[in-house]
Amino acid sequence: MTQSDSPASASPQEAIAAALRRERARAGLSLTEVARKAGIAKSTLSQLESGSGNPSIETLWALCVALDIPFSRLLDPPRPMVQVIRLGEGAMLASSQSEYRTTLLAASPPTARRDIYRITAEPGHSRDSDPHSHGVVEHIVLGGGRAKVGPAEAPVELGPGDYICYPGDSPHVFEALEPGTWALLVSEYS
């Protein structure tokens, strides 16, 4: 998405609307054609593209299939070098069939490889990491406790459920601030 398609302050509905318009134009399809392929009403698609609809996961999935795009393309905003998503923030979507909600934190680029780690840490000493290989990006979701995480020159304090992503190819830190701190770490190599 370009900055004009999805400004950082855009609501999830606005971001989805811009993405649907962009992807439908890219595919060269009319509202009628996409709605038919997705099995939804043309008026529903029109509402979604105007940002006034409140789509379910199932509706968006059907639209992604109709447009031949990955689901994440509807939600993934431009990535700044350091990105923080607090618990309860982000583009959350709900299922129409069950009590299930999903929040996209980061879409995997097609050329990336990812390693996933569970981190446990205790207060007292920070884990200061030297730069990893060029292009490495680290993603962390804090599961419990509190920690200062991110670039060594500007770590961010996180609480349970908070997310941060930052360049792993520059010095970075993980410092537990409470006993029993744990997190999920994904190292992405491109």
Side-chain angles (χ1 to χ4, degrees), residues 20-35:
L20 286 171
R21 290 189 306 270
R22 180 192 68 239
E23 294 301 326
R24 186 171 60 79
R26 179 199 53 79
L29 297 171
S30 69
L31 275 170
T32 303
E33 290 169 312
V34 173

Side-chain angles (χ1 to χ4, degrees), residues 75-170:
L75 303 173
D76 195 26
R79 293 186 205 181
M81 290 302 289
V82 175
Q83 178 183 10
V84 176
I85 299 174
R86 302 285 183 194
L87 183 62
E89 292 179 350
M92 186 186 310
L93 298 171
S95 170
S96 63
Q97 300 174 358
S98 63
E99 285 296 314
Y100 178 89
R101 290 176 177 75
T102 184
T103 302
L104 177 67
L105 299 178
S108 179
T111 59
R113 188 183 99 229
R114 290 187 172 163
D115 296 329
I116 301 172
Y117 305 92
R118 183 173 189 273
I119 298 170
T120 58
E122 297 296 330
H125 299 287
S126 67
R127 168 69 172 108
D128 299 318
S129 296
D130 291 329
H132 302 311
S133 302
H134 179 72
V136 170
V137 176
E138 290 194 348
H139 304 263
I140 291 185
V141 176
L142 199 69
R146 283 185 320 112
K148 279 188 157 180
V149 182
E153 72 277 3
V156 176
E157 185 171 326
L158 302 178
D162 288 347
Y163 163 82
I164 186 171
C165 118
Y166 54 88
D169 58 2
S170 61

Side-chain angles (χ1 to χ4, degrees), residues 2-75:
T2 65
Q3 195 67 0
S4 63
D5 284 340
S6 180
S9 61
S11 72
Q13 287 81 8
E14 291 167 335
I16 290 167
L20 286 171
R21 290 189 306 270
R22 180 192 68 239
E23 294 301 326
R24 186 171 60 79
R26 179 199 53 79
L29 297 171
S30 69
L31 275 170
T32 303
E33 290 169 312
V34 173
R36 181 187 51 75
K37 287 176 113 180
I40 65 170
K42 180 180 171 183
S43 60
T44 299
L45 179 55
S46 179
Q47 286 179 332
L48 294 177
E49 284 196 6
S50 72
S52 61
N54 190 15
S56 69
I57 293 169
E58 294 80 10
T59 297
L60 292 178
W61 195 267
L63 287 166
C64 289
V65 170
L67 292 166
D68 193 29
I69 60 170
F71 189 81
S72 60
R73 194 169 299 170
L74 295 181
L75 303 173

